[in-house]
Amino acid sequence: MNWKAPLLLLVGVGISNIGAWVYLLALNLTVFSMTGSPFAVSVLYMLIPISTLVTDVWVGSFIDRLNKRTLMITLDIVRACLIFCLPFLDSLFFIYALVLLINMGSSIFESTSIVYMTKLVPKENRQRFNALRNFIQSSGFILGPSIAGVLFIVSSPNMAIFVNALALLLSAFVIMLLPNLDLKDEEAVYERVTFAVVKKDWKLVVTFGRKNAHVTWVYLLFGGFVVFLAGIDSIEAAFARKVLLFSESTYGFLVGIAGFGMVASSLLNAWFAKVLKINLLIGVGAIITPIGYLVFAFSQSFLTASIGVFIMTFAITFAHVGFLTFYQNHIPVAIMGRFTNLVGMVEAGLTIVMVALIGVFADWIAIRPVYMFSSAVFLLLGIYIFKVVMNKEKKVFYRDPMPE
């Protein structure tokens, strides 16, 4: 396989990912300095699943019919322009509105990029590519906040926001260098999308899901896995600061350890991609991740908390790489956008409910008991996922990808 185009794609994704972290931290500081309200900042995080809900109803029908490379370039440029406008706004309402639009663009870009990756990378190289993609994203998790911190020292949060706009433009330029994979599908690219077409697409996805029950069930289970991650992570910072009494710098170091766990696991997955089986990655990752959360939940010291955080992020990467490879191997690229977004809509709705419930109970009861209970239920889900993917009767799904 010629790795030139996939590596270019990873560079584009990496630039965009680092910029996104810089933008997120800068925006948090901007909103907090405007309002002095932690709730105002938390609204920024709620806008992420809300934007997914708004777009996933219809966008899959467009993704599967439009030119993927052109769509990604357009989304990068549009998001760059919108982000560039943010520092000039002094109204919280307009900031939220613009952030919602930016998040909608990011949600569409993410779905489109997965379809493009699946078409670009041959199935025998997908597991290694996904591991490298995870490595790029986890590196951004470490580098992004570091770059943001330097920019905050030498300049201001507004400058950090401008840097993200430039990063997206650079990402768009890199994507322009990638091959156009939709040239042979022009009759599909220019099909007009109407409400009737979207409704027909929903039926098509449901029909596919029923015919491929195991694939759909694994997808839904992993969606539940992601929902638990989002819900528990929403009180992680509060747990570290208020329960473990860590300072901001200590918590920042803890986040760095989390990033190191992702990086180490991603490299391990890339090196041993030919050896590690997909169902083993999903199953073991699904069990070990909540164990890491439980270690963190019961921790009394920085050392124990660090071990818990490292275990959870190290295992999450295994689960993500395994699931993404499984998904790419069994969802036809012709309907991948529609399938992703329709099921993603359910996931986003459940995420909003989970974050709200965990947040409310953490306020009503106490943070640690809620963190412990959520992690324990998460472990039960992980054990069930392990049982499903390790079922010997279903092993063919983890060995033979669907013909493309």
mmCIF file of all heavy atoms in Angstrom, residues 119-135:
data_model
loop_
_atom_site.group_PDB
_atom_site.id
_atom_site.type_symbol
_atom_site.label_atom_id
_atom_site.label_comp_id
_atom_site.label_asym_id
_atom_site.label_seq_id
_atom_site.Cartn_x
_atom_site.Cartn_y
_atom_site.Cartn_z
ATOM 1 N N LYS A 119 -12.881 4.722 2.338
ATOM 2 C CA LYS A 119 -12.677 4.555 0.894
ATOM 3 C C LYS A 119 -11.196 4.651 0.523
ATOM 4 O O LYS A 119 -10.736 3.999 -0.417
ATOM 5 C CB LYS A 119 -13.470 5.617 0.126
ATOM 6 C CG LYS A 119 -14.977 5.537 0.336
ATOM 7 C CD LYS A 119 -15.732 6.576 -0.467
ATOM 8 C CE LYS A 119 -15.839 6.176 -1.923
ATOM 9 N NZ LYS A 119 -16.760 7.048 -2.680
ATOM 10 N N LEU A 120 -10.450 5.436 1.271
ATOM 11 C CA LEU A 120 -9.042 5.683 0.943
ATOM 12 C C LEU A 120 -8.134 4.530 1.367
ATOM 13 O O LEU A 120 -7.212 4.156 0.632
ATOM 14 C CB LEU A 120 -8.575 6.976 1.635
ATOM 15 C CG LEU A 120 -7.101 7.373 1.420
ATOM 16 C CD1 LEU A 120 -6.866 7.787 -0.032
ATOM 17 C CD2 LEU A 120 -6.715 8.503 2.368
ATOM 18 N N VAL A 121 -8.395 3.960 2.549
ATOM 19 C CA VAL A 121 -7.480 2.961 3.121
ATOM 20 C C VAL A 121 -8.013 1.546 2.863
ATOM 21 O O VAL A 121 -9.145 1.237 3.249
ATOM 22 C CB VAL A 121 -7.309 3.185 4.641
ATOM 23 C CG1 VAL A 121 -6.323 2.179 5.222
ATOM 24 C CG2 VAL A 121 -6.851 4.614 4.925
ATOM 25 N N PRO A 122 -7.220 0.682 2.230
ATOM 26 C CA PRO A 122 -7.635 -0.717 2.011
ATOM 27 C C PRO A 122 -7.923 -1.410 3.330
ATOM 28 O O PRO A 122 -7.313 -1.100 4.358
ATOM 29 C CB PRO A 122 -6.416 -1.348 1.315
ATOM 30 C CG PRO A 122 -5.659 -0.204 0.741
ATOM 31 C CD PRO A 122 -5.889 0.951 1.670
ATOM 32 N N LYS A 123 -8.855 -2.373 3.306
ATOM 33 C CA LYS A 123 -9.311 -2.999 4.554
ATOM 34 C C LYS A 123 -8.193 -3.664 5.346
ATOM 35 O O LYS A 123 -8.227 -3.686 6.574
ATOM 36 C CB LYS A 123 -10.426 -4.006 4.277
ATOM 37 C CG LYS A 123 -10.117 -5.080 3.274
ATOM 38 C CD LYS A 123 -11.327 -5.979 3.077
ATOM 39 C CE LYS A 123 -11.096 -7.050 2.021
ATOM 40 N NZ LYS A 123 -11.078 -6.497 0.653
ATOM 41 N N GLU A 124 -7.148 -4.177 4.652
ATOM 42 C CA GLU A 124 -6.067 -4.847 5.372
ATOM 43 C C GLU A 124 -5.169 -3.874 6.130
ATOM 44 O O GLU A 124 -4.377 -4.282 6.987
ATOM 45 C CB GLU A 124 -5.212 -5.692 4.405
ATOM 46 C CG GLU A 124 -4.480 -4.893 3.341
ATOM 47 C CD GLU A 124 -5.300 -4.693 2.067
ATOM 48 O OE1 GLU A 124 -6.527 -4.949 2.113
ATOM 49 O OE2 GLU A 124 -4.719 -4.299 1.048
ATOM 50 N N ASN A 125 -5.293 -2.576 5.850
ATOM 51 C CA ASN A 125 -4.460 -1.578 6.531
ATOM 52 C C ASN A 125 -5.249 -0.678 7.484
ATOM 53 O O ASN A 125 -4.693 0.234 8.088
ATOM 54 C CB ASN A 125 -3.748 -0.693 5.502
ATOM 55 C CG ASN A 125 -2.767 -1.465 4.650
ATOM 56 O OD1 ASN A 125 -2.983 -1.645 3.451
ATOM 57 N ND2 ASN A 125 -1.689 -1.937 5.242
ATOM 58 N N ARG A 126 -6.547 -0.917 7.599
ATOM 59 C CA ARG A 126 -7.399 -0.011 8.379
ATOM 60 C C ARG A 126 -7.068 -0.020 9.867
ATOM 61 O O ARG A 126 -7.089 1.029 10.520
ATOM 62 C CB ARG A 126 -8.872 -0.372 8.168
ATOM 63 C CG ARG A 126 -9.402 0.093 6.820
ATOM 64 C CD ARG A 126 -10.801 -0.397 6.574
ATOM 65 N NE ARG A 126 -11.238 -0.067 5.208
ATOM 66 C CZ ARG A 126 -12.235 -0.669 4.589
ATOM 67 N NH1 ARG A 126 -12.906 -1.627 5.211
ATOM 68 N NH2 ARG A 126 -12.568 -0.329 3.354
ATOM 69 N N GLN A 127 -6.770 -1.191 10.412
ATOM 70 C CA GLN A 127 -6.500 -1.265 11.849
ATOM 71 C C GLN A 127 -5.264 -0.435 12.206
ATOM 72 O O GLN A 127 -5.264 0.311 13.192
ATOM 73 C CB GLN A 127 -6.310 -2.726 12.267
ATOM 74 C CG GLN A 127 -6.334 -2.932 13.778
ATOM 75 C CD GLN A 127 -6.410 -4.402 14.153
ATOM 76 O OE1 GLN A 127 -7.008 -5.203 13.442
ATOM 77 N NE2 GLN A 127 -5.808 -4.762 15.263
ATOM 78 N N ARG A 128 -4.213 -0.544 11.402
ATOM 79 C CA ARG A 128 -3.001 0.247 11.654
ATOM 80 C C ARG A 128 -3.282 1.738 11.444
ATOM 81 O O ARG A 128 -2.833 2.580 12.240
ATOM 82 C CB ARG A 128 -1.876 -0.225 10.735
ATOM 83 C CG ARG A 128 -0.598 0.631 10.838
ATOM 84 C CD ARG A 128 0.586 -0.099 10.256
ATOM 85 N NE ARG A 128 0.984 -1.215 11.125
ATOM 86 C CZ ARG A 128 1.662 -2.268 10.716
ATOM 87 N NH1 ARG A 128 2.003 -2.380 9.446
ATOM 88 N NH2 ARG A 128 1.994 -3.220 11.568
ATOM 89 N N PHE A 129 -4.017 2.068 10.387
ATOM 90 C CA PHE A 129 -4.346 3.466 10.122
ATOM 91 C C PHE A 129 -5.145 4.058 11.276
ATOM 92 O O PHE A 129 -4.879 5.175 11.725
ATOM 93 C CB PHE A 129 -5.145 3.592 8.820
ATOM 94 C CG PHE A 129 -5.581 4.998 8.516
ATOM 95 C CD1 PHE A 129 -4.741 5.874 7.847
ATOM 96 C CD2 PHE A 129 -6.826 5.460 8.920
ATOM 97 C CE1 PHE A 129 -5.135 7.179 7.575
ATOM 98 C CE2 PHE A 129 -7.225 6.764 8.657
ATOM 99 C CZ PHE A 129 -6.376 7.625 7.980
ATOM 100 N N ASN A 130 -6.141 3.314 11.778
ATOM 101 C CA ASN A 130 -6.965 3.803 12.883
ATOM 102 C C ASN A 130 -6.139 4.008 14.145
ATOM 103 O O ASN A 130 -6.382 4.939 14.923
ATOM 104 C CB ASN A 130 -8.110 2.829 13.157
ATOM 105 C CG ASN A 130 -9.140 2.824 12.038
ATOM 106 O OD1 ASN A 130 -9.308 3.813 11.343
ATOM 107 N ND2 ASN A 130 -9.818 1.700 11.852
ATOM 108 N N ALA A 131 -5.142 3.129 14.358
ATOM 109 C CA ALA A 131 -4.253 3.292 15.509
ATOM 110 C C ALA A 131 -3.420 4.566 15.364
ATOM 111 O O ALA A 131 -3.235 5.321 16.325
ATOM 112 C CB ALA A 131 -3.343 2.071 15.641
ATOM 113 N N LEU A 132 -2.920 4.813 14.136
ATOM 114 C CA LEU A 132 -2.146 6.032 13.892
ATOM 115 C C LEU A 132 -3.021 7.271 14.035
ATOM 116 O O LEU A 132 -2.582 8.309 14.537
ATOM 117 C CB LEU A 132 -1.524 5.983 12.490
ATOM 118 C CG LEU A 132 -0.391 4.961 12.306
ATOM 119 C CD1 LEU A 132 0.004 4.857 10.825
ATOM 120 C CD2 LEU A 132 0.824 5.344 13.140
ATOM 121 N N ARG A 133 -4.281 7.161 13.603
ATOM 122 C CA ARG A 133 -5.224 8.276 13.749
ATOM 123 C C ARG A 133 -5.451 8.570 15.230
ATOM 124 O O ARG A 133 -5.495 9.737 15.650
ATOM 125 C CB ARG A 133 -6.545 7.930 13.063
ATOM 126 C CG ARG A 133 -7.639 8.985 13.202
ATOM 127 C CD ARG A 133 -8.828 8.622 12.327
ATOM 128 N NE ARG A 133 -9.934 9.531 12.528
ATOM 129 C CZ ARG A 133 -10.998 9.270 13.284
ATOM 130 N NH1 ARG A 133 -11.086 8.095 13.914
ATOM 131 N NH2 ARG A 133 -11.970 10.141 13.423
ATOM 132 N N ASN A 134 -5.594 7.513 16.028
ATOM 133 C CA ASN A 134 -5.739 7.690 17.463
ATOM 134 C C ASN A 134 -4.503 8.335 18.077
ATOM 135 O O ASN A 134 -4.589 9.158 18.993
ATOM 136 C CB ASN A 134 -5.995 6.339 18.135
ATOM 137 C CG ASN A 134 -7.392 6.232 18.695
ATOM 138 O OD1 ASN A 134 -8.349 6.160 17.930
ATOM 139 N ND2 ASN A 134 -7.527 6.242 19.998
ATOM 140 N N PHE A 135 -3.330 7.954 17.550
ATOM 141 C CA PHE A 135 -2.076 8.539 18.026
ATOM 142 C C PHE A 135 -2.046 10.045 17.746
ATOM 143 O O PHE A 135 -1.677 10.841 18.611
ATOM 144 C CB PHE A 135 -0.891 7.864 17.338
ATOM 145 C CG PHE A 135 0.426 8.560 17.562
ATOM 146 C CD1 PHE A 135 1.045 8.509 18.806
ATOM 147 C CD2 PHE A 135 1.034 9.279 16.539
ATOM 148 C CE1 PHE A 135 2.259 9.165 19.020
ATOM 149 C CE2 PHE A 135 2.235 9.940 16.743
ATOM 150 C CZ PHE A 135 2.850 9.881 17.984
#
